Amino acid sequence: EAGVAQSPRYKIIEKRQSVAFWCNPISGHATLYWYQQILGQGPKLLIQFQNNGVVDDSQLPKDRFSAERLKGVDSTLKIQPAKLEDSAVYLCASSFEGDTEAFFGQGTRLTVV
Amino acid sequence: SQQGEEDPQALSIQEGENATMNCSYKTSINNLQWYRQNSGRGLVHLILIRSNEREKHSGRLRVTLDTSKKSSSLLITASRAADTASYFCATPPRGFKTIFGAGTRLFVKA
């Protein structure tokens, strides 16, 4: 079974630039999550999709972050404009249902300089 | 806000010893999940225990759940250097939202 695919693996941008991350979940998984993990901390949920609808985006900084899940499969997370404090690993995960085990991608390490 | 909190924050043991870490949570849950994160790797699911279960085993892992105390423990027996990682509990409240605590950093010395 193919895992959760994320790209790119690494990204370095200057502050105020924009960046986009892509995620392809495991086939058949209805739930897709985006997490932000700052060094030394646990993953923080940014947004959760159920199929192509948003279940929870309460911790998504909507003035600069946006996410979509096209046709209930792939998803993109965008940051525009980026700030220094956005430097983190962005993890995508998927699960069959909302509270079952989640499968994680390798993440995208973003450095904002 | 974090639903689960792991304890201790860090743990250092010798290879072959047992490691125990705890997780406390605040609201009712459907299940509790433990994950491991090695440096350079993503999060990997270890074990899920449902709210009506009290204990579960998987290889060298033993998880207990006490819903009356809103707490869980993860025991790793006969630890190996490869067990060096951060361990997180995730405590989805009823329905949705897999939310993680800050983690326990385990270091196993060879």
Side-chain angles (χ1 to χ4, degrees), chain A residues 9 33 35 37 40-43 45 48 50 55-56 58-59 91 98-102 104-106, chain B residues 1 30-31 33 35 37 40-43 45 48 88 92-93 95-102 105:
Chain A
R9 287 294 310 277
Y33 312 82
Y35 290 89
Q37 188 174 24
Q41 298 181 17
L45 180 65
Q48 178 179 340
Q50 184 75 11
V55 171
D56 186 291
S58 58
Q59 297 195 93
L91 296 165
D99 62 355
T100 56
E101 63 177 295
F104 283 79
Q106 291 294 305
Chain B
S1 63
N30 270 350
N31 62 65
Q33 305 165 27
Y35 290 78
Q37 187 174 39
R41 292 195 60 186
L43 278 154
H45 179 266
L48 181 153
F88 298 90
F96 299 102
K97 291 206 297 189
T98 299
I99 297 175
F100 291 82
R105 289 182 296 282

Side-chain angles (χ1 to χ4, degrees), chain A:
Chain A
E1 173 181 85
V4 176
Q6 286 188 250
S7 67
R9 287 294 310 277
Y10 305 93
K11 191 75 176 179
I12 300 174
I13 62 172
E14 294 183 349
K15 59 183 179 184
R16 290 188 289 276
Q17 285 187 326
S18 63
V19 64
F21 312 127
W22 174 82
C23 173
N24 185 15
I26 291 173
S27 177
H29 280 190
T31 306
L32 185 146
Y33 312 82
W34 282 102
Y35 290 89
Q36 179 193 60
Q37 188 174 24
I38 293 172
L39 187 65
Q41 298 181 17
K44 171 187 165 185
L45 180 65
L46 293 176
I47 189 167
Q48 178 179 340
F49 292 95
Q50 184 75 11
N51 296 309
N52 60 351
V54 175
V55 171
D56 186 291
D57 62 357
S58 58
Q59 297 195 93
L60 186 74
K62 298 180 186 64
D63 58 335
R64 298 184 301 106
F65 286 63
S66 64
E68 61 180 3
R69 189 178 184 194
L70 301 175
K71 300 179 182 178
V73 182
D74 292 8
S75 177
T76 56
L77 175 69
K78 298 179 182 177
I79 307 175
Q80 182 179 10
K83 293 184 176 180
L84 296 177
E85 57 261 36
D86 298 332
S87 294
V89 175
Y90 290 84
L91 296 165
C92 179
S94 69
S95 64
F96 184 70
E97 292 179 331
D99 62 355
T100 56
E101 63 177 295
F103 294 84
F104 283 79
Q106 291 294 305
T108 296
R109 183 176 298 277
L110 173 67
T111 302
V112 182
V113 297

Side-chain angles (χ1 to χ4, degrees), chain B residues 15-69:
Chain B
E15 202 167 32
E17 293 181 339
N18 295 341
T20 300
M21 53 204 85
N22 305 295
C23 171
S24 59
Y25 58 93
K26 298 173 184 173
T27 63
S28 297
I29 58 172
N30 270 350
N31 62 65
L32 187 144
Q33 305 165 27
W34 285 93
Y35 290 78
R36 178 182 65 208
Q37 187 174 39
N38 296 323
S39 59
R41 292 195 60 186
L43 278 154
V44 175
H45 179 266
L46 295 176
I47 195 165
L48 181 153
I49 185 166
R50 302 196 181 282
S51 58
N52 60 354
E53 297 176 308
R54 292 297 168 258
E55 188 171 312
K56 199 164 184 179
H57 297 255
S58 177
R60 294 183 296 112
L61 306 179
R62 172 177 168 257
V63 170
T64 61
L65 178 64
D66 187 335
T67 53
S68 66
K69 295 181 180 178

